[in-house]
Amino acid sequence: MANDKQKTYWSEVAGPKWLSLEGAMEARLAPVSTAVIAAAGLKPGQRVLDIGCGAGRTSQEAAQAVGETGYVLGIDIAPPMIEAARTHAAAEAQPGMAPVEFALADAQTERFTPPFDMLISRFGVMFFEDPVAAFANLRVSVTPGGRLAFAAWAPLAANPHWEIPLRLVEALVGPGAPRVPHAPGPLAFDDANYVRGLLEAAGWRGAEIRVEPVFLHGASLDDEARVACFMGPAGALLDEKKANDATRDAAREAVRGALPGFATVLPDGSLRLPAAIHLITASAP
Ligand SMILES: C[S@@+](CC[C@H](N)C(=O)[O-])C[C@H]1O[C@@H](n2cnc3c(N)ncnc32)[C@H](O)[C@@H]1O
């Protein structure tokens, strides 16, 4: 089956990690959802497909934007994410929102009918084994003239909340295996020309990839040091090197010390972390 490795990774490793930090991740990434929803320009009554929806927060925001005459389907390849999304949706449905449903599906191969008006994603489209096949499949899942609006991470150098912890962890455990350019993972779409090329190859038109600065939210120096050494490239390197508890403690301590050098510490102790995403839009012919 396509994307077996990512399905296992998101079901057994990254998904459970994400869900264990869910409140922090949602607060952290809220500005990215806002950017995706704004780029999508959603209108009442539209049918929206949220790809790699995770715990479904962006699907819920889309449901508010399209209103009760619209419809939102969130899909994800990992069962724990879909389970969490369904639980939240049941608890948080509000009058005036579109119906929201969630389905376990691989966006690369599942055929979605009837077609959607708009595809959205917050960081859920960088994990395909065959991105051209995936985007071609998604193109036939939208109506003619339908659009996509996706967020993916811009290069590491524009994301100090990841790059600085990664360098600090490298200093402790040594470098990781060399990164294969464009390999499935959080930074697979860090090259705008590559993304434009694959969207065109998949039959999308008018692709625009804009670098959008955003400020992520960190709850506190301690929390952010914990998140940075658990998720993202620094967390992945600690896992790759099977770091012991003492090394992980040292990594968190080093990151905590470095954070005030690039993040703004607000009077309530929370953090404003500069970051950059690629905001990707395109249309189906
Ligand atoms: C970084 S998380 C983002 C989750 C969510 N969009 C959010 O921002 O909270 C990436 C998500 O993409 C999902 N994913 C990875 N490959 C997929 C595929 N081929 N089809 C559908 N979902 C996929 C993962 O299971 C994971 O939930």
Side-chain angles (χ1 to χ4, degrees):
M1 200 184 95
N3 297 310
D4 265 348
K5 258 171 91 174
Q6 289 295 326
K7 181 172 178 140
T8 304
Y9 179 66
W10 281 101
S11 301
E12 295 176 10
V13 182
K17 272 187 165 193
W18 183 289
L19 294 173
S20 75
L21 289 177
E22 199 188 337
M25 294 306 281
E26 288 309 335
R28 195 170 203 275
L29 300 180
V32 181
S33 283
T34 305
V36 170
I37 300 289
L42 294 174
K43 296 183 185 62
Q46 283 189 317
R47 297 173 55 87
V48 182
L49 181 64
D50 182 7
I51 297 147
C53 64
R57 193 63 53 182
T58 310
S59 313
Q60 304 267 34
E61 288 183 36
Q64 279 169 349
V66 297
E68 57 200 352
T69 56
Y71 171 70
V72 180
L73 176 64
I75 62 115
D76 202 284
I77 201 169
M81 303 307 253
I82 287 297
E83 214 173 288
R86 286 186 177 138
T87 304
H88 291 314
E92 293 164 23
Q94 281 171 24
M97 272 172 72
V100 191
E101 292 182 305
F102 294 97
L104 189 64
D106 180 347
Q108 185 175 313
T109 51
E110 185 91 7
R111 190 56 56 86
F112 301 98
T113 50
F116 287 80
D117 302 303
M118 190 76 211
L119 308 182
I120 61 168
S121 184
R122 183 179 76 175
F123 300 142
V125 289
M126 302 93 85
F127 305 96
F128 303 129
E129 240 163 45
D130 184 341
V132 173
F135 284 107
N137 178 52
L138 291 170
R139 181 178 51 76
V140 294
S141 301
V142 293
T143 49
R147 295 177 56 239
L148 63 76
F150 297 154
W153 291 106
L156 197 56
N159 282 292
H161 59 100
W162 269 1
E163 190 185 25
I164 292 173
L166 177 63
R167 301 298 169 230
L168 292 167
V169 169
E170 282 174 346
L172 287 170
V173 301
R179 191 162 77 86
V180 179
H182 317 315
L187 290 163
F189 284 7
D190 64 352
D191 172 350
N193 286 332
Y194 163 74
V195 177
R196 193 173 295 105
L198 69 84
L199 284 171
E200 280 167 12
W204 290 87
R205 296 288 170 262
E208 283 183 24
I209 295 103
R210 190 170 88 220
V211 178
E212 179 93 352
V214 289
F215 288 96
L216 308 180
H217 168 86
S220 67
L221 289 170
D222 284 336
D223 275 30
E224 183 55 28
R226 193 165 58 96
V227 171
C229 293
F230 189 55
M231 305 294 292
L237 180 55
L238 285 164
D239 289 348
E240 181 188 326
K241 299 286 186 179
K242 300 189 174 24
N244 61 23
D245 288 349
T247 306
R248 288 176 188 268
D249 287 347
R252 279 193 296 273
E253 200 49 41
V255 171
R256 192 188 187 287
L259 279 165
F262 66 91
T264 306
V265 184
L266 299 174
D268 66 355
S270 67
L271 306 181
R272 210 167 173 255
L273 300 146
I277 57 171
H278 279 153
L279 208 46
I280 302 160
T281 51
S283 302

mmCIF file of all heavy atoms in Angstrom, residues 35-52:
data_model
loop_
_atom_site.group_PDB
_atom_site.id
_atom_site.type_symbol
_atom_site.label_atom_id
_atom_site.label_comp_id
_atom_site.label_asym_id
_atom_site.label_seq_id
_atom_site.Cartn_x
_atom_site.Cartn_y
_atom_site.Cartn_z
ATOM 1 N N ALA A 35 -3.932 31.718 8.648
ATOM 2 C CA ALA A 35 -3.364 32.049 7.326
ATOM 3 C C ALA A 35 -3.961 31.160 6.232
ATOM 4 O O ALA A 35 -4.270 31.638 5.124
ATOM 5 C CB ALA A 35 -1.846 31.907 7.372
ATOM 6 N N VAL A 36 -4.149 29.876 6.536
ATOM 7 C CA VAL A 36 -4.709 28.951 5.526
ATOM 8 C C VAL A 36 -6.157 29.336 5.207
ATOM 9 O O VAL A 36 -6.557 29.422 4.034
ATOM 10 C CB VAL A 36 -4.638 27.482 6.021
ATOM 11 C CG1 VAL A 36 -5.424 26.552 5.110
ATOM 12 C CG2 VAL A 36 -3.192 27.025 6.120
ATOM 13 N N ILE A 37 -6.939 29.590 6.262
ATOM 14 C CA ILE A 37 -8.358 29.918 6.045
ATOM 15 C C ILE A 37 -8.472 31.231 5.249
ATOM 16 O O ILE A 37 -9.295 31.363 4.338
ATOM 17 C CB ILE A 37 -9.115 30.018 7.407
ATOM 18 C CG1 ILE A 37 -9.049 28.689 8.165
ATOM 19 C CG2 ILE A 37 -10.549 30.491 7.223
ATOM 20 C CD1 ILE A 37 -9.858 27.544 7.609
ATOM 21 N N ALA A 38 -7.595 32.195 5.567
ATOM 22 C CA ALA A 38 -7.636 33.469 4.829
ATOM 23 C C ALA A 38 -7.253 33.248 3.367
ATOM 24 O O ALA A 38 -7.909 33.778 2.451
ATOM 25 C CB ALA A 38 -6.697 34.482 5.483
ATOM 26 N N ALA A 39 -6.224 32.432 3.113
ATOM 27 C CA ALA A 39 -5.788 32.192 1.727
ATOM 28 C C ALA A 39 -6.863 31.436 0.947
ATOM 29 O O ALA A 39 -7.003 31.619 -0.267
ATOM 30 C CB ALA A 39 -4.481 31.396 1.725
ATOM 31 N N ALA A 40 -7.619 30.599 1.641
ATOM 32 C CA ALA A 40 -8.672 29.827 0.961
ATOM 33 C C ALA A 40 -9.837 30.732 0.561
ATOM 34 O O ALA A 40 -10.541 30.448 -0.411
ATOM 35 C CB ALA A 40 -9.160 28.703 1.880
ATOM 36 N N GLY A 41 -10.047 31.828 1.285
ATOM 37 C CA GLY A 41 -11.158 32.734 0.968
ATOM 38 C C GLY A 41 -12.488 31.993 0.942
ATOM 39 O O GLY A 41 -13.271 32.139 -0.002
ATOM 40 N N LEU A 42 -12.729 31.184 1.958
ATOM 41 C CA LEU A 42 -13.931 30.323 1.968
ATOM 42 C C LEU A 42 -15.220 31.129 1.940
ATOM 43 O O LEU A 42 -15.308 32.195 2.559
ATOM 44 C CB LEU A 42 -13.902 29.430 3.209
ATOM 45 C CG LEU A 42 -12.771 28.407 3.235
ATOM 46 C CD1 LEU A 42 -12.743 27.667 4.565
ATOM 47 C CD2 LEU A 42 -12.895 27.424 2.077
ATOM 48 N N LYS A 43 -16.210 30.578 1.216
ATOM 49 C CA LYS A 43 -17.516 31.255 1.102
ATOM 50 C C LYS A 43 -18.603 30.342 1.654
ATOM 51 O O LYS A 43 -18.472 29.112 1.579
ATOM 52 C CB LYS A 43 -17.824 31.548 -0.366
ATOM 53 C CG LYS A 43 -16.840 32.510 -0.995
ATOM 54 C CD LYS A 43 -17.259 32.824 -2.435
ATOM 55 C CE LYS A 43 -16.225 33.683 -3.142
ATOM 56 N NZ LYS A 43 -14.898 33.024 -3.265
ATOM 57 N N PRO A 44 -19.694 30.959 2.159
ATOM 58 C CA PRO A 44 -20.793 30.135 2.667
ATOM 59 C C PRO A 44 -21.244 29.126 1.616
ATOM 60 O O PRO A 44 -21.317 29.444 0.426
ATOM 61 C CB PRO A 44 -21.896 31.161 2.962
ATOM 62 C CG PRO A 44 -21.155 32.440 3.218
ATOM 63 C CD PRO A 44 -19.944 32.398 2.321
ATOM 64 N N GLY A 45 -21.520 27.914 2.088
ATOM 65 C CA GLY A 45 -22.060 26.877 1.202
ATOM 66 C C GLY A 45 -21.001 26.029 0.524
ATOM 67 O O GLY A 45 -21.341 25.039 -0.123
ATOM 68 N N GLN A 46 -19.706 26.363 0.677
ATOM 69 C CA GLN A 46 -18.693 25.563 -0.026
ATOM 70 C C GLN A 46 -18.464 24.218 0.660
ATOM 71 O O GLN A 46 -18.641 24.084 1.868
ATOM 72 C CB GLN A 46 -17.379 26.347 -0.118
ATOM 73 C CG GLN A 46 -17.416 27.422 -1.186
ATOM 74 C CD GLN A 46 -16.042 28.047 -1.418
ATOM 75 O OE1 GLN A 46 -15.320 28.333 -0.469
ATOM 76 N NE2 GLN A 46 -15.709 28.275 -2.669
ATOM 77 N N ARG A 47 -18.000 23.272 -0.160
ATOM 78 C CA ARG A 47 -17.616 21.940 0.329
ATOM 79 C C ARG A 47 -16.099 21.903 0.414
ATOM 80 O O ARG A 47 -15.418 22.143 -0.589
ATOM 81 C CB ARG A 47 -18.078 20.867 -0.653
ATOM 82 C CG ARG A 47 -19.594 20.780 -0.832
ATOM 83 C CD ARG A 47 -19.928 19.805 -1.949
ATOM 84 N NE ARG A 47 -19.302 18.509 -1.691
ATOM 85 C CZ ARG A 47 -19.846 17.541 -0.970
ATOM 86 N NH1 ARG A 47 -21.029 17.696 -0.440
ATOM 87 N NH2 ARG A 47 -19.206 16.403 -0.792
ATOM 88 N N VAL A 48 -15.596 21.613 1.607
ATOM 89 C CA VAL A 48 -14.156 21.726 1.865
ATOM 90 C C VAL A 48 -13.588 20.377 2.294
ATOM 91 O O VAL A 48 -14.180 19.699 3.145
ATOM 92 C CB VAL A 48 -13.898 22.757 2.999
ATOM 93 C CG1 VAL A 48 -12.405 22.925 3.262
ATOM 94 C CG2 VAL A 48 -14.522 24.104 2.657
ATOM 95 N N LEU A 49 -12.438 20.031 1.738
ATOM 96 C CA LEU A 49 -11.716 18.819 2.150
ATOM 97 C C LEU A 49 -10.428 19.251 2.847
ATOM 98 O O LEU A 49 -9.624 19.987 2.268
ATOM 99 C CB LEU A 49 -11.396 17.990 0.898
ATOM 100 C CG LEU A 49 -10.658 16.674 1.084
ATOM 101 C CD1 LEU A 49 -11.505 15.674 1.880
ATOM 102 C CD2 LEU A 49 -10.299 16.059 -0.274
ATOM 103 N N ASP A 50 -10.258 18.815 4.104
ATOM 104 C CA ASP A 50 -9.053 19.149 4.885
ATOM 105 C C ASP A 50 -8.139 17.930 4.872
ATOM 106 O O ASP A 50 -8.470 16.881 5.433
ATOM 107 C CB ASP A 50 -9.475 19.527 6.315
ATOM 108 C CG ASP A 50 -8.282 19.944 7.181
ATOM 109 O OD1 ASP A 50 -7.160 20.075 6.651
ATOM 110 O OD2 ASP A 50 -8.487 20.146 8.397
ATOM 111 N N ILE A 51 -6.970 18.087 4.244
ATOM 112 C CA ILE A 51 -6.088 16.946 4.007
ATOM 113 C C ILE A 51 -5.062 16.801 5.126
ATOM 114 O O ILE A 51 -4.395 17.765 5.478
ATOM 115 C CB ILE A 51 -5.388 17.126 2.656
ATOM 116 C CG1 ILE A 51 -6.466 17.114 1.576
ATOM 117 C CG2 ILE A 51 -4.372 16.043 2.389
ATOM 118 C CD1 ILE A 51 -6.138 17.990 0.446
ATOM 119 N N GLY A 52 -4.928 15.583 5.639
ATOM 120 C CA GLY A 52 -4.028 15.361 6.781
ATOM 121 C C GLY A 52 -4.506 16.207 7.942
ATOM 122 O O GLY A 52 -3.753 16.957 8.540
#
